[in-house]
């Protein structure tokens, strides 16, 4: 299992490096496919993967990413409203086939997986995106690593016993500080290549914010799995589980970093 996890991790990292570097349409297409796969995993977990509601969710994901391809991010709110209206239409037209909880779950799957995942592409599409997009990995994976090491060394106070008994408050602080430090170091290394002002400060704050939110993302995925009594969302990635098992923290880190960068650029 350890070697499967290691090999899968190396392959994922290599693929991420290649796609982050290339960016553009190839990155958007792959992110869309990953989002659709994760969406299917979530729909299966909540029991609507073979329902008409799930089909609407998949279609809206493709439409959403299609709009992003043609610089349609200004229509993000419109597509979110359109998705809800489409699902409510199916709810009314087929009543009483679906429960309100199923409609809520279908819409939640679109926002939670597809929309949040799209911020990987949106961050890369930034003018300095070829540098900023790596902060998503630094914050999510850096936080995981630093939190694990600090938690193992000095962790005493449990953070979320019912969701993840091994996570500690000390580990969470270590993850935040470690990610912020990695971000500052990264910003220092590439400062001369970025057009963004104060790159060291911006990268440090963005990574720190991404780290905090990524921990919530990790716990949120654990809560969903416990609610539905499953160990993993899937088995697509050997040693890691499904797409959502591997990308749970990145789903939250990506929008946090994207908006942190936009806010700080305007502030500075």
């Amino acid at each position: 299992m350890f070697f499967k996890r290691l090999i899968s991790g190396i392959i994922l990292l290599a693929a991420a490096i290649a796609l982050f570097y290339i960016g553009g349409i190839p990155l958007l297409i792959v992110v869309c496919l990953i989002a659709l796969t994760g969406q299917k995993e979530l729909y299966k977990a909540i029991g609507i993967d073979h329902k008409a509601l799930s089909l609407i969710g998949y279609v809206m994901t493709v439409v959403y990413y299609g709009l992003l391809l043609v610089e349609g991010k200004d229509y993000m709110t419109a597509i979110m409203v359109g998705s809800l209206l489409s699902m409510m239409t199916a709810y009314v037209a087929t009543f009483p086939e679906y429960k309100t909880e199923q409609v809520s779950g279908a819409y939640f799957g679109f926002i939670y997986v597809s929309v949040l995942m799209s911020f990987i592409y949106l961050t890369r599409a930034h003018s300095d995106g070829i540098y900023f997009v790596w902060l998503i990995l630094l914050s999510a994976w850096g936080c995981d690593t630093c939190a694990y090491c600090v938690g193992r060394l000095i962790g005493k106070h449990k953070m979320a016993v019912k969701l993840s008994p091994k996570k500690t408050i000390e580990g969470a602080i270590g993850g935040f500080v470690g990610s912020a430090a990695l971000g500052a170091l990264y910003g220092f290394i590439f400062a001369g290549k970025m057009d963004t002002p104060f790159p060291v400060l911006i990268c440090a704050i963005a990574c720190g914010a991404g780290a905090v939110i990524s921990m919530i993302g990790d716990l949120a995925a654990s809560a969903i799995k416990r609610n539905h009594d499953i160990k993993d969302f899937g088995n697509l990635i050997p040693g890691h589980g499904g797409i959502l098992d591997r990308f749970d923290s990145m789903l939250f880190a990506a929008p946090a970093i994207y908006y942190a960068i936009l806010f700080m650029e305007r502030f500075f």
Side-chain angles (χ1 to χ4, degrees), residues 126-128 132 191 193-199 202 261 264-265:
H126 184 279
S127 58
D128 274 331
F132 284 142
K193 298 182 178 181
M194 296 186 192
D195 295 327
T196 301
F198 308 107
I202 287 180
I261 290 169
M264 287 186 290
E265 283 185 335

Side-chain angles (χ1 to χ4, degrees), residues 37-49 108 112 162-163 218-235 240-245 248:
T37 305
Q39 201 175 0
K40 181 174 177 58
E41 290 176 352
L42 183 64
Y43 285 167
K44 182 178 181 181
I46 63 179
I48 61 168
D49 56 321
F108 169 72
Y112 172 60
K162 293 183 179 180
L163 292 177
D218 184 29
L219 292 172
S222 296
I224 294 171
K225 287 187 283 189
R226 288 182 181 275
N227 276 161
H228 296 279
D229 196 27
I230 56 175
K231 182 178 183 296
D232 294 315
F233 283 105
N235 55 9
H240 293 269
I243 288 294
L244 294 181
D245 297 296
D248 51 4

Side-chain angles (χ1 to χ4, degrees), residues 67-124:
L67 284 174
L68 291 182
L69 181 62
V70 294
E71 300 295 327
K73 62 182 179 181
D74 293 338
Y75 298 96
M76 287 177 67
T77 301
I79 196 69
M80 291 179 196
V81 173
S83 299
L84 181 58
L85 293 177
S86 299
M87 291 176 183
M88 290 301 292
T89 299
Y91 174 54
V92 171
T94 61
F95 189 85
E97 181 176 350
Y98 300 117
K99 303 294 185 183
T100 52
E101 293 80 5
Q102 292 176 305
V103 179
S104 300
Y107 186 68
F108 169 72
F110 169 67
I111 301 295
Y112 172 60
V113 183
S114 300
V115 174
L116 294 189
M117 187 78 74
S118 72
F119 283 93
I120 296 175
Y121 168 77
L122 290 171
T123 302
R124 177 62 178 84

Side-chain angles (χ1 to χ4, degrees), residues 1-259:
M1 179 63 73
F2 171 77
F3 289 106
K4 284 184 178 180
R5 186 179 179 86
L6 178 62
I7 292 171
S8 297
I10 292 173
I11 293 173
L12 283 173
L13 180 59
I17 290 173
L19 286 167
F20 281 9
Y21 179 77
I22 295 170
I25 294 177
L27 177 61
L28 182 138
I29 291 173
V30 172
V31 171
C32 180
L33 292 174
I34 291 173
L36 286 168
T37 305
Q39 201 175 0
K40 181 174 177 58
E41 290 176 352
L42 183 64
Y43 285 167
K44 182 178 181 181
I46 63 179
I48 61 168
D49 56 321
H50 295 302
K51 305 288 187 179
L53 279 174
S54 64
L55 179 59
I56 294 173
Y58 301 142
V59 170
M60 297 314 295
T61 292
V62 173
V63 171
Y64 172 70
Y65 278 87
L67 284 174
L68 291 182
L69 181 62
V70 294
E71 300 295 327
K73 62 182 179 181
D74 293 338
Y75 298 96
M76 287 177 67
T77 301
I79 196 69
M80 291 179 196
V81 173
S83 299
L84 181 58
L85 293 177
S86 299
M87 291 176 183
M88 290 301 292
T89 299
Y91 174 54
V92 171
T94 61
F95 189 85
E97 181 176 350
Y98 300 117
K99 303 294 185 183
T100 52
E101 293 80 5
Q102 292 176 305
V103 179
S104 300
Y107 186 68
F108 169 72
F110 169 67
I111 301 295
Y112 172 60
V113 183
S114 300
V115 174
L116 294 189
M117 187 78 74
S118 72
F119 283 93
I120 296 175
Y121 168 77
L122 290 171
T123 302
R124 177 62 178 84
H126 184 279
S127 58
D128 274 331
I130 194 170
Y131 302 107
F132 284 142
V133 72
W134 304 101
L135 298 180
I136 298 173
L137 293 181
L138 278 179
S139 64
W141 294 355
C143 179
D144 262 357
T145 302
C146 293
Y148 175 79
C149 293
V150 173
R152 292 280 292 180
L153 288 173
I154 61 173
K156 293 181 179 180
H157 301 88
K158 300 298 182 182
M159 184 172 68
V161 179
K162 293 183 179 180
L163 292 177
S164 187
K166 294 182 179 180
K167 283 184 169 56
T168 63
I169 294 175
E170 293 84 355
I173 295 172
F176 165 72
V177 173
S179 291
L182 287 171
L185 177 61
Y186 179 85
F188 176 77
I189 292 172
F190 292 101
K193 298 182 178 181
M194 296 186 192
D195 295 327
T196 301
F198 308 107
V200 175
L201 180 60
I202 287 180
C203 288
I205 294 175
C207 255
V212 173
I213 301 301
S214 75
M215 286 186 274
I216 298 174
D218 184 29
L219 292 172
S222 296
I224 294 171
K225 287 187 283 189
R226 288 182 181 275
N227 276 161
H228 296 279
D229 196 27
I230 56 175
K231 182 178 183 296
D232 294 315
F233 283 105
N235 55 9
L236 181 65
I237 309 171
H240 293 269
I243 288 294
L244 294 181
D245 297 296
R246 181 65 275 180
F247 288 86
D248 51 4
S249 56
M250 290 178 63
L251 281 175
F252 279 47
I257 285 173
Y258 176 80
Y259 284 115

